[in-house]
């Protein structure tokens, strides 16, 4: 029988860091601590750590530059081409909300059951930040808190596929792939409604009430999807009206 070998230290370190990335402890785009500090925190030698980081670079999970070592946007190879395809399809916004409703109802229900005490506290803190941003009428800050809240729920679901796939989708959302979030958050009435909905979602998760969490996220996404669809329809009508009014520019004198 072949004798088993103990994995090399560098491979063990690489596996440990890889797990931290998988679990969402280390996130895409984040810069790691310096080699010296990281070696101290992991209680390993710098040469072994250096070899481990090289292994993870080969796997496409880390990238090193003069600025340091960062976790790569490892799903970009999927999401960047997908974003280009989705932007060219008018039906995609409705499909996007249909997809999010299916996945986020599950995520919210799981989070209500599985969230740990620190995760529930993080959700409370995010809701407090959202309320403060709303009171300050800071639409940009409130829009960011919106993304943070949803990401906290993905993480609290303790489903790694939901965590990574939905985090990638939230990056596309931040880039206005599906609709213009900036224009929506500029509307006071929209922000008022969203604050109430987000509080219902977060409070249901914190209260460990999966049915209420699923219902709240469903109502939230239904409202947002309908608002986006109405905004698109209104914009299309304005565009058509302008073309009709300016039709004389296409005719001879």
């Amino acid at each position: 029988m072949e004798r088993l070998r103990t994995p090399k230290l560098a491979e063990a370190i690489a596996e440990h860091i890889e797990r931290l990335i998988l679990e969402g402890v280390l996130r895409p785009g984040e810069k790691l601590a310096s080699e010296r500090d990281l070696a101290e925190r992991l209680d390993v030698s710098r040469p072994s750590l250096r070899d481990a980081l090289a292994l993870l670079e080969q796997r496409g999970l880390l990238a090193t530059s003069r600025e340091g070592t960062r976790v790569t946007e490892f799903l970009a190879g999927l999401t960047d081409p997908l974003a280009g395809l989705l932007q060219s399809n008018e039906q995609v916004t409705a499909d996007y909300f249909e997809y999010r409703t299916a996945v986020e109802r599950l995520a919210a229900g799981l989070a209500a059951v599985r969230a740990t005490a620190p995760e529930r506290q993080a959700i409370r803190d995010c809701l407090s930040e959202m309320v403060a941003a709303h009171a300050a009428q800071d639409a940009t800050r409130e829009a960011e808190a919106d993304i943070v809240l949803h990401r906290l729920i993905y993480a609290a679901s303790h489903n790694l596929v939901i965590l990574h796939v939905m985090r990638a989708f939230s990056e596309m959302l931040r880039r206005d792939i599906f609709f213009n979030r900036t224009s929506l958050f500029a509307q006071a009435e929209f922000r008022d409604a969203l604050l109430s909905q987000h509080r219902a979602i977060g409070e249901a998760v914190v209260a460990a009430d999966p049915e209420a969490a699923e219902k709240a996220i469903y109502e939230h996404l239904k409202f947002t999807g309908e608002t986006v669809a109405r905004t698109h329809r209104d914009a299309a009508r304005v565009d058509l009206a302008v073309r009709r009014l300016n039709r004389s520019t296409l005719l001879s004198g």
Side-chain angles (χ1 to χ4, degrees), residues 53-217:
L53 297 181
L55 287 172
L56 293 172
E57 282 195 63
Q58 292 172 14
R59 297 174 192 172
L61 295 174
L62 296 179
T64 300
S65 67
R66 292 180 179 178
E67 297 177 353
T69 300
R70 292 184 181 275
V71 181
T72 61
E73 301 284 349
F74 48 84
L75 287 181
L78 169 66
T79 57
D80 286 352
L82 182 61
L85 289 171
L86 296 180
Q87 281 183 311
S88 64
N89 190 321
E90 293 181 359
Q91 175 62 28
V92 75
T93 302
D95 289 349
Y96 163 74
F97 280 107
E98 190 174 87
Y99 172 80
R100 273 192 69 185
T101 300
V103 177
E104 294 208 32
R105 285 183 75 176
L106 174 61
L110 291 175
V113 173
R114 296 176 176 176
T116 64
E119 287 169 328
R120 294 182 201 277
Q121 185 57 51
I123 290 171
R124 290 190 194 97
D125 293 343
C126 183
L127 290 176
S128 296
E129 162 63 13
M130 196 174 285
V131 170
H134 188 80
Q137 298 184 20
D138 189 335
T140 300
R141 183 177 157 198
E142 194 169 356
E144 184 60 27
D146 175 356
I147 287 180
V148 171
L149 177 64
H150 284 274
R151 287 184 169 186
L152 286 171
I153 291 172
Y154 305 150
S157 76
H158 288 267
N159 181 303
L160 295 178
V161 176
I162 289 176
L163 172 64
H164 288 287
V165 172
M166 295 308 294
R167 181 175 285 161
F169 266 88
S170 68
E171 277 302 317
M172 287 195 280
L173 182 64
R174 182 181 270 140
R175 290 156 50 194
D176 290 346
I177 297 299
F178 303 104
F179 59 91
N180 190 325
R181 294 179 76 241
T182 303
S183 64
L184 285 180
F185 273 89
Q187 302 173 30
E189 291 183 0
F190 179 78
R191 293 201 313 277
D192 289 343
L194 246 58
L195 177 62
S196 176
Q197 292 163 16
H198 283 136
R199 292 180 73 172
I201 296 164
E203 288 168 3
V205 172
V206 169
D209 188 338
E211 290 185 6
E214 290 180 20
K215 180 180 179 182
I217 200 81

